[in-house]
Every structure is written in structure tokens, then in C-alpha cells.
Amino acid sequence: MSDETIRFTVSLPESLFKEIELDQKERGYQSRSEYIRDLFRDRIVDKQWNSSKDDVVGVLTLVFDHHQKGLSETLIEIQHNDFIHVLCSTHVHVDHHNCLETIIIKGQATAVNEIVNKISSLKGVKVARLSRAGIV
């Protein structure tokens, strides 16, 4: 495969183009091309990640109410699942009710997705976002 640069034209509704231009500037991209390349790279990582037969690595970010009865214990129990490996977790007390936790997970994509779904559906979990980091 060649690293030759290919130029192509894309047609967009004006409202979407304006939104992209604003986002590009807000994020500090020097060019529209670099912004679009990053969008494409993210999409490709997601596709490769979900179809991989190899282990994948992701970071699950949670915000939850630590006063929710039994939630902390359930989160710990889920993280001890045999099908995934929790490489590291960080727990931060944001305020009196809210905690933020990041969990670095390695395993088969389907198993990682399952743990994310289990955790995100728990009562008291306000945010559960998975960042797909790569294929190991």
C-alpha cells in the first residue's frame, strides 16, 4: 500500500459543513484535511476493534452516585469477571455524591462490550463511555 496522498471531493449540506468548520477550529486543527483524517482513523479503529479476533484494549469512563446502595460492590464484582482483564482502575471523588472512575480493560471485544453494557445499565451509573484504544 502506498502512502501517496489522494485528493477527493465530498458534498455536504451547508449546515453540516459549518458545524465541521466550527469543530475543527475549536479543537485547534490546522487544516480541514487533518481533521477529516482523524475522523476516518477513529472510524477505522472502531471497525477493526469490533471485528478483531485478537484482544483489544479500551478505557471505560464512569460517573456514578456512590451513595447508590450496593453499586460499588457490584462494580467490583463485575470487574472480577474471568473473560476480561482489568489492567488498572482509578477512582476519584468528584463531590459528595459523584465518583469518577476509569477502568482500563483488555480482552475480546465482545467480552469488553458486555462488561460495558452491564455497568452502564446499573442503577446509579450516570455516564459510562468506552474509548476504544486499540488492538493488542
Side-chain angles (χ1 to χ4, degrees), residues 71-122:
L71 180 57
S72 294
E73 294 81 6
T74 303
L75 287 171
I76 290 169
E77 184 179 316
I78 290 171
Q79 291 179 51
H80 284 266
N81 185 318
D82 292 337
F83 300 107
I84 58 101
H85 304 285
V86 173
L87 302 177
C88 175
S89 66
T90 303
H91 183 97
V92 178
H93 302 279
V94 177
D95 59 31
H96 183 69
H97 290 283
N98 295 296
C99 291
L100 179 130
E101 192 163 322
T102 59
I103 307 166
I104 301 175
I105 305 170
K106 177 182 175 185
Q108 291 291 301
T110 54
V112 172
N113 287 328
E114 283 178 22
I115 194 173
V116 171
N117 291 337
K118 281 182 191 177
I119 289 173
S120 64
S121 66
L122 294 172

Side-chain angles (χ1 to χ4, degrees), residues 10-34:
V10 176
S11 300
L12 300 171
E14 185 176 359
S15 60
L16 180 57
F17 178 78
K18 287 179 179 179
E19 197 170 319
I20 287 170
E21 288 289 290
L22 179 62
D23 191 47
Q24 172 198 330
K25 287 180 177 87
E26 287 176 349
R27 292 175 181 260
Y29 282 91
Q30 298 301 311
S31 72
R32 189 180 303 128
S33 291
E34 191 56 40

Side-chain angles (χ1 to χ4, degrees), residues 34 36-46 48:
E34 191 56 40
I36 298 298
R37 278 192 290 270
D38 273 359
L39 290 175
F40 288 173
R41 286 182 197 115
D42 285 348
R43 188 68 178 251
I44 290 168
V45 166
D46 284 350
Q48 290 173 340

Side-chain angles (χ1 to χ4, degrees), residues 32 51 54 56 85 120 135:
R32 189 180 303 128
S51 64
D54 297 323
V56 296
H85 304 285
S120 64
I135 300 169

